[in-house]
Amino acid sequence: MNAPFQPDSISLDQLELGARAVVAAIDWQALDSAESSRLRHFGFDEGVTVETLHLGPFGRDPLAVRVGRMTVAIRRKHAGAVRVVPTVK
């Protein structure tokens, strides 16, 4: 089952640097089991606030994302499975 579509959401890899957003949905089926487990352990879940911090030097991969008080690196293809709703600054 795919993540439900949120009309005002974008994928995490499209979120501007320094912007904050709330995770609206995650398409767990688009990720392999190891990556799903990794994201869950890092706190990715619906309703969590995230912030993009840095882009990697090669092809803008990986993304550095703040989840709660933790900073994690996530590949762009995995970030594409995470739908977020940007918050107003």
Side-chain angles (χ1 to χ4, degrees):
M1 177 179 185
N2 290 338
F5 178 72
Q6 301 276 337
D8 52 347
S9 70
I10 59 172
S11 60
L12 180 57
D13 62 328
Q14 296 175 338
L15 188 63
E16 293 181 25
L17 279 181
R20 290 185 180 177
V22 174
V23 176
I26 301 173
D27 187 358
W28 296 112
Q29 305 243 340
L31 304 168
D32 64 42
S33 61
E35 190 59 32
S36 293
S37 178
R38 179 176 174 263
L39 292 183
R40 288 181 200 270
H41 283 102
F42 286 150
F44 279 88
D45 204 358
E46 286 83 5
V48 172
T49 300
V50 295
E51 177 183 3
T52 53
L53 300 175
H54 304 284
L55 297 175
F58 304 107
R60 299 171 31 126
D61 200 23
L63 299 168
V65 180
R66 180 173 292 134
V67 182
R69 296 184 322 193
M70 187 178 347
T71 301
V72 299
I74 180 174
R75 296 271 178 219
R76 292 185 76 75
K77 74 177 196 172
H78 301 135
V82 180
R83 300 295 297 181
V84 298
V85 176
T87 57
V88 179
K89 290 184 180 183

